[in-house]
Amino acid sequence: MPTSFLQMECTFLDRLSTRIMGFYSFFLCLLIFSVISSNVFTAYAFKGTYGVNYGKIADNLPSPRSVVTLLKAAKIKNTRIYDADHEVLKAFKGSGIEIIIGLGNEYLKEIAVGEDRAMNWIKENVQPFLPGTSIVGIAVGNEILGGDDHELWEVLLPSVKNVYDALHRLDLTKVVEVSSPHSEAVFTNSFPPSACIFRDDISIYMKPLLQFFSQIGSPFYINAYPFLAYKSDPEHIDINYALFKSNPGILDEKTNLHYDNMFEAQVDAAYAALEKAGFPKMEVIVSETGWASRGDDNEAGANLENARTYNYNLRKRLAKKKGTPFRPKFVAKAYIFALFNENLKTGPTSERNFGLFKPDGSISYDIGFTGLRDSSGASSFIPFKVIAACITLVLLISAS
């Protein structure tokens, strides 16, 4: 064999081995990075900017299967429920709709006792539905801090820790986020936004909770309602400012930031409180916001047109995928309250009239969504059983 040919062959094999080693090194780096990142990053429950709260305090709502159809038609991919209703979780299986479930306030004292109690709850209400149903979060309690039951203030953090530890033992912390939404009652004041701080009596509970959420990578969830702010002080709050309509806005003189809508001001107030508490990098997500389409005589602003205007403009605002004046790099995200009017809710009339949709599945007002029924009352929804029967018939015909 000629010497030149042997040299060429050796050169070729050299280069090939170098490329194989290079590829191997690259693959190894990717593998190492994936292992490291899997241990660093935790679950993140909100991948879009727009979601809805699916409340069910009513006796006249569509079936959970119909709700899935409704959400898909509206292209809503994020939702929250206030319990762990198994019928809902079964109906959402395979839908691709991501859902945060609620661990109700009534369970917290029990869950706080030990991790085994949290483990039992998760094995009953979470694990059996994964991965078919996209359960991406557990909201531990709702509006606990600032509420009337001070015993719940004390058990909130132990409950949160036990839920997280149980998820960790089941290797689910990369799938299911742990959080706890708060009301505006946790703040001493929120105007101007830069002046916002947590209440002194709440801080002793809030700071350890925030420290834990910071460690596991969970956002700060706040229920923010310009409607409630306007209703409480209609003489001094510009309705246009609350509804995202044209208005002079406000200037926060400390930060020199201008706000032309109350929603962003409320979000930035939460950011300001977090910064003062020592958590400037924590993200704020609005877990509830909305506007009532009906109310009592003393509920200023509660009417159909204002509800449509607020929710239409909010949807447009969130679709821009931009931040707030104080935190421009954090994209604003919100869950709308609520999917349906809920006729069994107690309290003022407004409480029963926050729904984007009526109980029959038709729209409460037009903000661009399609309901299960059109405005004439004719159903545009094809029942699941009918679809299944059609598919079966097609398969039988094709087989013959």
Side-chain angles (χ1 to χ4, degrees):
M1 185 177 291
T3 306
S4 60
F5 181 78
L6 286 171
Q7 288 174 339
M8 287 173 62
E9 187 175 16
C10 288
T11 302
F12 171 76
L13 290 173
D14 252 357
R15 289 177 179 173
L16 182 62
S17 63
T18 301
R19 288 185 180 183
I20 290 171
M21 287 300 293
F23 175 78
Y24 174 76
S25 300
F26 175 71
F27 178 76
L28 186 62
C29 286
L30 281 179
L31 185 62
I32 292 169
F33 176 76
S34 66
V35 170
I36 292 171
S37 63
S38 68
N39 290 321
V40 172
F41 299 114
T42 54
Y44 192 72
F46 202 158
K47 295 183 175 66
T49 60
Y50 189 93
V52 294
N53 288 279
Y54 173 18
K56 306 187 305 299
I57 305 177
D59 58 8
N60 56 358
L61 298 183
S63 70
R65 283 188 181 273
S66 297
V67 171
V68 169
T69 302
L70 179 65
L71 293 172
K72 282 187 168 183
K75 297 182 179 179
I76 296 172
K77 298 179 180 179
N78 300 282
T79 188
R80 296 175 72 247
I81 58 175
Y82 294 90
D83 52 23
D85 187 329
H86 288 196
E87 292 305 309
V88 172
L89 297 179
K90 289 174 187 174
F92 275 64
K93 182 179 180 180
S95 67
I97 299 168
E98 301 192 337
I99 183 169
I100 293 179
I101 63 174
L103 198 167
N105 297 1
E106 66 272 21
Y107 296 107
L108 296 197
K109 293 176 185 177
E110 176 73 12
I111 296 293
V113 171
E115 185 190 319
D116 60 322
R117 314 298 173 92
M119 180 67 77
N120 292 338
W121 190 89
I122 290 167
K123 284 187 173 181
E124 180 182 348
N125 298 294
V126 180
Q127 195 176 30
F129 301 97
L130 295 172
T133 300
S134 296
I135 300 174
V136 294
I138 299 173
V140 181
N142 185 50
E143 299 188 341
I144 297 296
L145 301 182
D148 295 331
D149 190 341
H150 284 232
E151 288 184 21
L152 291 182
W153 295 20
E154 297 178 2
V155 300
L156 177 58
L157 180 57
S159 298
V160 165
K161 285 184 173 180
N162 286 338
V163 169
Y164 181 82
D165 289 345
L167 288 170
H168 182 70
R169 281 179 56 192
L170 296 170
D171 198 27
L172 291 175
T173 55
K174 301 177 190 69
V175 179
V176 182
E177 175 191 87
V178 180
S179 64
S180 186
H182 305 284
S183 75
E184 296 275 343
V186 298
F187 304 128
T188 297
N189 64 310
S190 58
F191 182 84
S194 63
C196 188
I197 56 172
F198 291 111
R199 281 168 41 185
D200 289 340
D201 59 333
I202 286 174
S203 285
I204 58 172
Y205 300 99
M206 181 65 82
K207 286 187 179 180
L209 182 67
L210 294 175
Q211 183 63 50
F212 183 71
F213 282 150
S214 178
Q215 291 171 359
I216 65 174
S218 291
F220 180 82
Y221 283 88
I222 185 72
N223 297 340
Y225 286 90
F227 165 70
L228 296 180
Y230 176 77
K231 186 179 80 164
S232 68
D233 192 11
E235 292 183 6
H236 298 100
I237 296 175
D238 184 348
I239 186 69
N240 294 323
Y241 176 66
L243 295 174
F244 298 91
K245 294 175 75 174
S246 178
N247 69 95
I250 66 144
L251 178 69
D252 188 325
E253 293 184 358
K254 182 177 179 181
T255 59
N256 202 34
L257 295 173
H258 182 265
Y259 292 88
D260 59 15
N261 67 83
M262 187 184 292
F263 173 81
E264 290 184 355
Q266 289 184 331
V267 172
D268 275 356
Y271 276 123
L274 287 171
E275 185 172 275
K276 290 170 187 169
F279 303 93
K281 296 182 180 179
M282 185 171 286
E283 181 181 14
V284 172
I285 294 178
V286 176
S287 39
E288 288 184 19
T289 189
W291 199 286
S293 58
R294 284 184 60 204
D296 297 320
D297 291 341
N298 63 345
E299 294 189 281
N303 60 59
L304 195 69
E305 181 55 30
N306 286 343
R308 191 204 71 81
T309 300
Y310 180 79
N311 282 298
Y312 177 77
N313 288 336
L314 175 61
R315 189 183 176 204
K316 281 201 309 181
R317 165 63 183 83
L318 295 174
K320 293 178 180 177
K321 297 181 179 180
K322 70 173 189 175
T324 57
F326 190 55
R327 288 286 185 267
K329 293 183 179 179
F330 283 98
V331 174
K333 303 170 184 178
Y335 289 89
I336 312 308
F337 188 87
L339 189 57
F340 296 109
N341 289 333
E342 298 172 74
N343 67 334
L344 297 183
K345 292 197 77 171
T346 58
T349 298
S350 62
E351 284 293 320
R352 295 175 288 282
N353 290 279
F354 274 91
L356 298 175
F357 297 90
K358 297 176 184 177
D360 65 358
S362 63
I363 57 174
S364 296
Y365 38 79
D366 185 10
I367 63 168
F369 291 139
T370 301
L372 298 183
R373 293 177 177 270
D374 62 29
S375 56
S376 66
S379 177
S380 59
F381 169 64
I382 302 174
F384 176 81
K385 290 181 180 179
V386 174
I387 295 173
C390 292
I391 293 171
T392 304
L393 183 60
V394 170
L395 290 174
L396 287 171
I397 292 171
S398 62
S400 62

